[in-house]
Amino acid sequence: MVSDFPKVPRSIMNAYRDESAIEMQIFDGNLPDDLQGHIFIVAPVGTVSSKGLPDKNGNTFMNGDGMIYRLDFDQKGKVSLKRKIAKSPDYWADKVTHDNNNELLKFRNYGLVRFSDLLGFRNELNTAFLPIKFPGDPHERLLVTYDAGRPYEIDTETLEAVTPIGEMKEWEPLINQPPYPFKPILSTAHPAFDPHKSEMFTVNYSRSLPNILGIDKILDVFNKKLDETSRGTDQERYKIALALLKKIIFESNLWTNNFANLMRWDGVNSLQKWQLINLNGSPVKIRQSIHQIGVTQDYVVLMDTAFATGIEQVISNFPEIPLIKELARFIPSPDTILYLVERNKLQENEEI
């Protein structure tokens, strides 16, 4: 069967990093006389080392600096385009270490993330926008987001990345040691804003290395055995084995750092934060990633979905360590886990 639809051109996988402001040509037809306003688009355009897309080393196109495009329909019958890379401070560190060919400090691609052994993670700001408008704001403001970093507000005129949401001390990194200048932070690329109550919601979470490698499942087995074996030699044997296993596993923050914090911002004050707790009293452990959250009148909905980002990307893309790479290989789950948080229970300094 021959399709009448044209093929998708391969050129849509190409991207260029040049920043510009141009008037676009209209090749066919005319713009409606009453057309006005702006269209904003964000997309990855490669890194300072790839100098565009596709990446010459074959890395995923989703790992790249975010280019913000603005189409303007301010003048009758005309359309102009402005494009600019969203540049957080780590962008400049990436550029300097690359331009100076500093092998010790430079950032490298590991699947979906870009990481420096001594400097930390890039916040590439390449995924989505979130319009927000708090009381007193003269107009809507615009945030640009990424799964591995804080959202940034952009200047909608200059397209510059102006300021991150929240101070760095308000965000918990997934690794505390070494003390990276650019902390590895996991958030959601799709935070939510409630225009009726003027509240923005986002999330800050971490997955420990045992969680990533499945070692926490081994602990669950041992704990279950302890529950089933109430006395005698078997109980003592499992207690000793569990103690030894924990000693090996819990030697560093990387081994123990499991948390999921819901965060709320009113546009003025510091971020409010609540650790998420299951109904049985145990802390919520994210199994994959919180790529997206939603908000309704009564609930905040957090979605644990099949998307790999964070430290597992670094581990599983180390070709020199095939055993670890195999252990950390990301196998997507067919299940999506939803966490529903009642908004009326969000009281300051409480777990939920």
Side-chain angles (χ1 to χ4, degrees):
M1 180 177 176
V2 179
S3 173
D4 294 331
F5 296 102
K7 293 181 178 180
V8 175
R10 294 185 62 85
S11 59
I12 68 166
M13 300 301 291
N14 296 337
Y16 304 94
R17 293 173 61 82
D18 56 310
E19 300 173 308
S20 58
I22 59 174
E23 183 175 327
M24 302 185 72
Q25 292 181 291
I26 300 173
F27 288 99
D28 187 27
N30 298 290
L31 294 175
D33 290 341
D34 59 350
L35 185 61
Q36 58 184 320
H38 313 277
I39 295 175
F40 288 87
I41 301 168
V42 63
V45 290
T47 67
V48 291
S49 55
S50 71
K51 303 187 185 303
L53 291 176
D55 191 311
K56 60 183 178 182
N57 293 322
N59 197 64
T60 172
F61 76 94
M62 290 190 289
N63 184 339
D65 294 310
M67 180 75 82
I68 299 173
Y69 304 83
R70 189 187 68 209
L71 292 164
D72 300 327
F73 300 91
D74 294 332
Q75 300 182 56
K76 183 178 178 180
K78 295 182 179 181
V79 56
S80 59
L81 170 69
K82 185 171 186 176
R83 53 191 176 192
K84 195 171 189 64
I85 293 174
K87 299 169 183 172
S88 55
D90 50 273
Y91 165 87
W92 296 106
D94 194 357
K95 186 177 188 309
V96 169
T97 54
H98 173 268
D99 291 349
N100 293 332
N101 198 27
N102 191 319
E103 292 294 332
L104 189 62
L105 295 176
K106 71 166 47 176
F107 292 79
R108 296 175 175 84
N109 290 342
Y110 295 95
L112 286 168
V113 301
R114 190 162 171 82
F115 174 72
S116 164
D117 294 342
L118 297 180
L119 297 180
F121 273 51
R122 284 291 322 278
N123 183 3
E124 295 186 300
L125 299 174
N126 66 17
T127 308
F129 292 121
L130 180 69
I132 58 175
K133 189 175 186 294
F134 294 101
D137 290 342
H139 50 71
E140 284 189 319
R141 297 150 63 182
L142 194 61
L143 306 183
V144 63
T145 66
Y146 184 56
D147 284 282
R150 295 178 290 173
Y152 265 72
E153 182 172 356
I154 65 168
D155 185 316
T156 54
E157 291 294 328
T158 66
L159 305 187
E160 297 278 357
V162 178
T163 184
I165 301 304
E167 297 182 47
M168 183 59 77
K169 65 182 180 182
E170 298 178 78
W171 294 80
E172 295 184 46
L174 64 103
I175 306 173
N176 284 326
Q177 296 295 331
Y180 289 118
F182 303 111
K183 294 181 181 179
I185 290 173
L186 291 182
S187 185
T188 174
H190 299 280
F193 182 72
D194 181 352
H196 301 287
K197 295 184 179 180
S198 298
E199 294 178 336
M200 174 199 163
F201 291 94
T202 186
V203 68
N204 177 204
Y205 69 99
S206 176
R207 294 180 61 206
S208 68
L209 198 57
N211 182 333
I212 295 165
L213 301 182
I215 297 173
D216 56 330
K217 296 175 185 177
I218 300 174
L219 291 177
D220 289 343
V221 170
F222 273 89
N223 282 314
K224 185 177 179 182
K225 285 290 186 182
L226 280 173
D227 291 339
E228 294 173 351
T229 312
S230 59
R231 62 183 181 277
T233 306
D234 284 342
Q235 186 188 44
E236 292 302 315
R237 181 162 55 88
Y238 281 117
K239 280 184 177 180
I240 292 170
L242 182 59
L244 289 173
L245 189 61
K246 286 184 175 180
K247 181 177 176 59
I248 294 169
I249 290 176
F250 300 140
E251 288 183 347
S252 69
N253 168 266
L254 183 59
W255 289 100
T256 61
N257 208 22
N258 265 313
F259 65 85
N261 296 330
L262 178 64
M263 305 173 85
R264 182 174 67 187
W265 188 45
D266 62 6
V268 177
N269 298 301
S270 299
L271 293 168
Q272 292 179 287
K273 181 167 57 178
W274 297 269
Q275 182 181 8
L276 299 179
I277 302 297
N278 291 308
L279 292 177
N280 63 6
S282 63
V284 167
K285 286 185 180 180
I286 302 305
R287 296 298 178 181
Q288 301 191 89
S289 69
I290 308 181
H291 179 65
Q292 186 166 7
I293 67 175
V295 61
T296 72
Q297 178 176 327
D298 299 317
Y299 294 93
V300 179
V301 183
L302 299 94
M303 290 157 265
D304 189 345
T305 55
F307 185 77
T309 188
I311 194 66
E312 66 264 40
Q313 287 286 292
V314 177
I315 297 169
S316 62
N317 283 280
F318 264 120
E320 301 89 351
I321 315 175
L323 177 60
I324 295 295
K325 181 175 181 178
E326 179 61 27
L327 284 172
R329 185 166 59 92
F330 179 72
I331 302 175
S333 169
D335 301 319
T336 293
I337 302 172
L338 300 182
Y339 296 98
L340 275 64
V341 178
E342 295 181 75
R343 294 177 66 178
N344 62 7
K345 291 186 177 180
L346 294 178
Q347 304 298 322
E348 196 166 356
N349 300 322
E350 290 188 6
E351 295 177 340
I352 54 172

